[in-house]
Amino acid sequence: MSEPDEVLDCRGQRCPLPVINLARRLPELPVGAVVRVLADDPAAAVDIPAWCRMRGQEFVGAHPDSPAYDVRRAH
């Protein structure tokens, strides 16, 4: 995966805070920008892709070697 446009460090935060922080930050970035969410709460692995589906944003993928999830702003 390529480098993100921004990294949102949500480590140590419990559900639903990583998703809330992503939802607040993503609209401030240009369409096409990629945010890497660092989230060590196990629920983030389910919550972040689900939020992307519900909001029409693109879940780029999870990083197998770290608790990181890439999301591209679609609109």
Side-chain angles (χ1 to χ4, degrees):
M1 290 187 191
S2 61
E3 287 303 305
D5 296 291
E6 183 164 314
V7 175
L8 194 60
D9 190 350
C10 297
R11 291 174 291 191
Q13 298 178 7
R14 296 291 164 228
C15 176
L17 291 176
V19 170
I20 290 170
N21 288 327
L22 173 61
R24 286 180 178 157
R25 183 64 185 131
L26 200 62
E28 298 173 354
L29 299 174
V31 171
V34 173
V35 175
R36 180 165 296 157
V37 181
L38 306 179
D40 51 9
D41 181 356
V46 174
D47 291 350
I48 292 174
W51 179 85
C52 290
R53 283 191 303 275
M54 290 187 314
R55 299 294 180 204
Q57 303 298 344
E58 181 184 350
F59 180 69
V60 178
H63 292 259
D65 56 339
S66 67
Y69 308 90
D70 287 357
V71 175
R72 179 176 288 114
R73 183 173 176 200
H75 54 82

